[in-house]
Amino acid sequence: MSLFADFPEGVVETDAMLAPLTWFQLGGRADFLVRPQNDEQLSTVLHRCRESDVPVRVLGLGANILVPDDGVRGVVLRLDAPCFSSITIDRETLIAGGGADMTTIVKRCVREGLAGLEQLAGIPGTVGGGIAMNCGGKYGDISTAVSQVDAVRQNGERESLTRSDLGFSYRESKIGDRVVTRVQFALHTTDAAELRSRFRETWDYKHSTQPSFGALSVGCIFRNPNGDSAGRLIDSAGLKGYRIGSAFVSEQHANFAMADRGGNATDVRKLIDSVQNRVEDFCGIRLVPEVKLW
Ligand SMILES: Cc1cc2nc3c(=O)[nH]c(=O)nc-3n(C[C@H](O)[C@H](O)[C@H](O)COP(=O)(O)OP(=O)(O)OC[C@H]3O[C@@H](n4cnc5c(N)ncnc54)[C@H](O)[C@@H]3O)c2cc1C
């Protein structure tokens, strides 16, 4: 495609399958899957897409995204090149690429006795996805350890943001349509044995309250409404195990939508809409999806 004709081989894939890149393993293709190899290439992609009105999305580990069966138009960016997935630690400062794997980071910090990210044990995803979603749970979220975020705007300009610029709140940040390229975390040295036990407690809690990691899901489908739990409402509405085609509500955790292997995204989308309507009919609360519906 002429927009990226001058890019090195391997950076741009046309008509690319997205399903294998998501936790749901569902959904169609992207017109272009672009894997920039450095900051300059990333800025160029964004700038050219902006000039040509081509939509751009960013895919992390796809742990919180549902791709529709007919795919998405335009460009999907994936920051899995070494430049965007490396991790460096200098005393109590950790700098990670936007595409770096959070689980690897959390485990490494625990091994090195560095506290600040252990509350994220068992949450799959990349650093960029974690910042966009302010991922976290019962034990805290990612925002508390963030000191600086480097990002690229849709016009290709780079900028650095502080934690307060990002206005983190429950499962949200103000990253908007910027692409996170690097994040600096401020950690603190602590007793390694005590850190390991906190990590283990969080990990065990997650694994005892949600479907196994091998199952096809994207974590919680809906945000918790103020002062309540989406899972409790779905359960009270009698929807555990509720099924539409290849998609169903988990018996173990009612806020998890699951998919059969070989299923399709259309069923999952129908299930999400139906659960939303049924819960509203049941208690008058309209649940808001946490999962990003592309
Ligand atoms: C089994 C399971 C358990 C889960 N448990 C939890 C949990 O306890 N708590 C929790 O908060 N979440 C949970 N999740 C959801 C998911 O792990 C988080 O939302 C995670 O932060 C998503 O990261 P990702 O890289 O996969 O992002 P993706 O799913 O790929 O993308 C999510 C959003 O982030 C954006 N994004 C991705 N990368 C970037 C980037 N570099 N720059 C800008 N935007 C970007 C995407 O465009 C999209 O809008 C769970 C998911 C699964 C499958």
Side-chain angles (χ1 to χ4, degrees):
M1 134 35 160
S2 56
L3 203 55
F4 307 119
D6 55 332
F7 276 35
E9 206 179 320
V11 174
V12 181
E13 187 184 339
T14 52
D15 200 27
M17 281 169 65
L18 295 179
L21 306 180
T22 70
W23 270 65
F24 254 139
Q25 304 263 299
L26 299 174
R29 293 167 183 264
D31 291 341
F32 307 99
L33 178 65
V34 183
R35 297 182 146 105
Q37 301 299 299
N38 52 52
D39 292 272
E40 202 184 322
Q41 245 174 32
L42 172 60
S43 288
T44 306
V45 174
L46 289 166
H47 180 70
R48 287 188 193 172
C49 288
R50 164 63 71 91
E51 298 274 287
S52 314
D53 257 342
V54 172
V56 179
R57 294 175 172 81
V58 200
L59 178 66
L61 275 196
N64 204 32
I65 283 174
L66 178 65
V67 178
D69 288 323
D70 56 358
V72 290
R73 307 290 65 84
V75 164
V76 171
L77 286 169
R78 195 138 200 266
L79 303 186
D80 54 4
C83 167
F84 298 114
S85 51
S86 65
I87 302 163
T88 56
I89 299 181
D90 181 12
R91 279 171 285 190
E92 297 187 322
T93 301
L94 184 149
I95 298 177
D101 179 59
M102 276 310 305
T103 301
T104 306
I105 292 174
V106 171
K107 286 185 175 167
R108 183 160 163 199
C109 289
V110 171
R111 262 199 322 273
E112 299 195 11
L114 288 168
L117 291 170
E118 64 284 358
Q119 68 278 19
L120 308 180
I123 303 180
T126 60
V127 166
I131 295 294
M133 301 303 303
N134 190 18
C135 67
K138 176 176 159 172
Y139 296 91
D141 55 44
I142 196 172
S143 70
T144 48
V146 172
S147 52
Q148 184 181 308
V149 171
D150 293 343
V152 190
R153 299 170 74 96
Q154 291 278 321
N155 62 7
E157 271 172 33
R158 297 180 212 171
E159 64 181 340
S160 284
L161 304 156
T162 62
R163 177 166 32 155
S164 68
D165 293 332
L166 285 159
F168 287 110
S169 57
Y170 166 62
R171 296 296 89 76
E172 266 181 4
S173 73
K174 294 194 170 133
I175 197 70
D177 59 8
R178 297 175 186 92
V179 179
V180 174
T181 51
R182 234 148 262 111
V183 178
Q184 183 175 310
F185 295 102
L187 307 172
H188 54 277
T189 308
T190 194
D191 178 73
E194 195 260 333
L195 184 59
R196 268 198 309 277
S197 105
R198 262 191 285 149
F199 169 83
R200 176 49 64 192
E201 185 194 339
T202 312
W203 184 274
D204 289 347
Y205 171 77
K206 272 208 69 77
H207 285 263
S208 64
T209 53
Q210 70 179 35
S212 82
F213 259 36
L216 303 185
S217 83
V218 280
C220 289
I221 288 290
F222 295 105
R223 296 164 61 87
N224 287 324
N226 256 346
D228 211 332
S229 128
R232 194 194 70 77
L233 294 175
I234 298 167
D235 191 7
S236 307
L239 295 172
K240 268 192 174 169
Y242 174 53
R243 178 179 273 277
I244 295 186
S246 58
F248 60 100
V249 175
S250 162
E251 289 279 4
Q252 200 177 348
H253 189 318
N255 199 14
F256 272 59
M258 316 291 296
D260 293 333
R261 267 169 215 284
N264 61 72
T266 306
D267 286 346
V268 177
R269 185 57 204 264
K270 282 186 190 157
L271 183 83
I272 293 172
D273 293 346
S274 176
V275 168
Q276 200 178 29
N277 290 333
R278 284 174 177 235
V279 168
E280 189 173 21
D281 289 346
F282 169 72
C283 64
I285 296 174
R286 189 145 185 91
L287 295 173
V288 176
E290 180 172 312
V291 58
K292 300 290 176 193
L293 303 166
W294 275 9

